[in-house]
Amino acid sequence: MRSSLWPLPVLAIALAIGLGIGLPAVDQVLEEPSGGHPLTFVFGGGPSAARDVLAAIAGSLISVTGLTFSFTVVALQLSSSQHSPRLLQTFVTDRVVQATLAVLVGTFVYALTVLRTVRTEESASPGFVPRLSVTAAFALTVISVVALVLFLGHLARSLRVETMLRDVSDEAQATFARELPSDDDDAAGYVLPPGTPAIVTASASGFITDVDGLRIADVAESAGATVLLAHRIGDSVVAGTPLAHVWPSHPGAEADTDAVKRSLDENVHLRFERVPDHDIAYSLRKTVDIAVRALSPGTNDPTTAVHALSHVSALLGEVLTRPPRTTPLYDDDGVLRLLLPQWDLSALVQLGLEEPVHFAEGQPAVLRRPALNITVDTASARNPRGSGVASGRRTTRVPTGSVISSPAPGSRTPSAWRWPTASAAACPGGTARPG
């Protein structure tokens, strides 16, 4: 519901229909036998004038709505082609966009609904002008015009790359707050059962967007199984490929693999695109896309790339203070039932650095970007657990031969600083050397 454009407009249409039916009924109760109205501020024209006003409101609003959002889509297409097509998803989930569309279409539907109640004196029944309803339509039109002006200003700000980066960063921070462990959470160890597991394949294809781990763990308990999900949230799954590995909970026992497979099909949610609700790597992916697109020959905007890398550094610094880890779920007897894999530090550092470094050939401002060193120092200072955070984790080597630059005489070559920076970010407090 949060990632769709239609819920608020549909709700506004339903409210507009109810208001368009209810207010004319109130007008009939308030109307005096002489045709007057006890409220002096209401619309004072006759039936023809009321029809003209309501028809003008309905016709103009639906035209403005279509034209405004047509221009908006064109502007967003141009912006997405320059930065990242995945940013369109951020626009759709923008509450300002949803509220503006709701106000415009709601006023249009309300005007049409009230228009049907206006009766002229030439009709079979007595003439009737819903004066309070027409006044409310005028007020809603004023609100729509104000909402349209505010929306255009919001759109102008939203199309700036700095605003897009800020929105993606806020989106990532919200996901981190939900998904990353807090500083006082102790890492729980786990031991998988011995033996060769059975493989459960996926019944459909798509990106994993959510996993109902508690329900899967309940089914695994009743099936006498221990389940290891083979993919993280955000990974792509292809139908017929392994989705999970299943062991009997106790040696010599037999697990009900069919029940586990049915539970996985129901509780591992697949969609055609990634969403940031539970995917800690997706917002980082968007930020990297902006940096890489800025480094493309068609754009050639190293300033935007450096700005995007600043956000990458901030996001990696936040992850380093609260490192993600695999989540084990146990039953009441302490038996391991489900393991939910998570993105590790090295994978996130590789995601944040590998492509920008690869495409930064001939861009000294990007290659000299020192923010990752600041990120590591800041993370080490903020993390009370110190170097033990990434102890035992594998490091990720960013390829050094993919970037050829022309450093100034006497300066360090890109390969001289790129590997220490990447390895330090992947394993703070440890030592790593290219080999």
Side-chain angles (χ1 to χ4, degrees):
M1 298 291 286
R2 287 195 302 267
S3 61
S4 301
L5 185 62
W6 59 267
L8 277 182
V10 169
L11 179 61
I13 290 174
L15 292 176
I17 293 175
L19 191 64
I21 295 175
L23 272 185
V26 174
D27 274 310
Q28 288 182 335
V29 174
L30 295 177
E31 186 178 17
E32 298 174 352
S34 60
H37 200 282
L39 302 178
T40 58
F41 61 85
V42 296
F43 177 77
S48 298
R51 283 182 176 273
D52 292 341
V53 170
L54 293 173
I57 291 174
S60 60
L61 278 180
I62 195 62
S63 300
V64 169
T65 302
L67 186 62
T68 299
F69 279 86
S70 297
F71 286 140
T72 301
V73 170
V74 172
L76 288 173
Q77 286 177 341
L78 293 176
S79 178
S80 65
S81 65
Q82 291 181 346
H83 304 301
S84 173
R86 277 156 291 279
L87 294 176
L88 287 176
Q89 187 183 70
T90 305
F91 169 79
V92 171
T93 59
D94 191 340
R95 289 300 185 191
V96 175
V97 177
Q98 296 176 355
T100 302
L101 182 59
V103 170
L104 293 177
V105 299
T107 304
F108 165 74
V109 172
Y110 172 78
L112 283 183
T113 306
V114 174
L115 182 60
R116 54 183 282 278
T117 64
V118 179
R119 296 190 301 269
T120 61
E121 297 176 353
E122 290 80 10
S123 59
S125 55
F128 172 67
V129 179
R131 303 186 185 279
L132 181 60
S133 303
V134 176
T135 305
F138 173 77
L140 288 176
T141 303
V142 174
I143 294 174
S144 299
V145 172
V146 174
L148 179 61
V149 173
L150 295 177
F151 169 74
L152 293 177
H154 177 76
L155 179 63
R157 292 191 303 270
S158 299
L159 293 180
R160 297 165 53 192
V161 66
E162 291 82 3
T163 305
M164 294 180 184
L165 287 170
R166 182 204 63 192
D167 292 342
V168 173
S169 180
D170 292 342
E171 176 186 88
Q173 295 294 338
T175 304
F176 291 168
R178 290 190 299 266
E179 301 300 320
L180 293 182
S182 60
D183 291 338
D184 55 356
D185 288 343
D186 294 329
Y190 54 87
V191 178
L192 290 172
T196 303
I199 296 177
V200 175
T201 58
S203 301
S205 300
F207 292 98
I208 298 179
T209 58
D210 191 15
V211 177
D212 193 339
L214 295 178
R215 291 190 178 183
I216 297 176
D218 290 341
V219 173
E221 181 180 3
S222 61
T226 296
V227 181
L228 168 63
L229 201 65
H231 299 278
R232 305 161 297 197
I233 292 180
D235 285 341
S236 175
V237 176
V238 178
T241 60
L243 177 62
H245 304 278
V246 180
W247 288 265
S249 301
H250 304 285
E254 185 176 351
D256 189 352
T257 308
D258 293 336
V260 173
K261 178 175 174 57
R262 289 192 297 269
S263 178
L264 290 172
D265 291 339
E266 294 174 359
N267 299 304
V268 177
H269 303 290
L270 302 177
R271 292 182 58 175
F272 66 93
E273 65 175 346
R274 297 170 68 177
V275 294
D277 295 344
H278 304 284
D279 188 353
I280 64 173
Y282 188 39
S283 298
L284 183 62
R285 173 74 268 174
K286 293 180 184 179
T287 309
V288 172
D289 285 347
I290 295 176
V292 171
R293 192 66 65 92
L295 293 171
S296 64
T299 305
N300 194 21
D301 185 6
T303 302
T304 296
V306 171
H307 194 176
L309 287 176
S310 299
H311 286 271
V312 169
S313 301
L315 296 180
L316 290 178
E318 180 66 23
V319 174
L320 286 170
T321 62
R322 300 162 59 191
R325 52 178 173 262
T326 299
T327 303
L329 297 179
Y330 299 88
D331 60 15
D332 295 336
D333 298 328
V335 179
L336 178 63
R337 293 303 178 186
L338 178 64
L339 274 178
L340 298 176
Q342 182 58 280
W343 293 82
D344 57 19
L345 292 177
S346 60
L348 293 174
V349 170
Q350 182 175 4
L351 173 62
L353 292 181
E354 189 173 43
E355 293 181 15
V357 169
H358 175 77
F359 290 102
E361 176 181 350
Q363 299 290 351
V366 180
L367 293 176
R368 289 194 302 264
R369 181 69 177 91
L372 283 178
N373 289 330
I374 301 175
T375 298
V376 173
D377 294 340
T378 304
S380 299
R382 291 174 55 189
N383 197 331
R385 288 173 287 184
S387 61
V389 172
S391 177
R393 297 181 181 270
R394 65 181 178 88
T395 59
T396 298
R397 178 179 178 180
V398 178
T400 59
S402 60
V403 178
I404 302 174
S405 181
S406 299
S411 64
R412 301 180 67 187
T413 61
S415 60
W417 60 264
R418 187 159 54 249
W419 165 251
T421 302
S423 61
C427 185
T431 58
R433 297 180 181 275

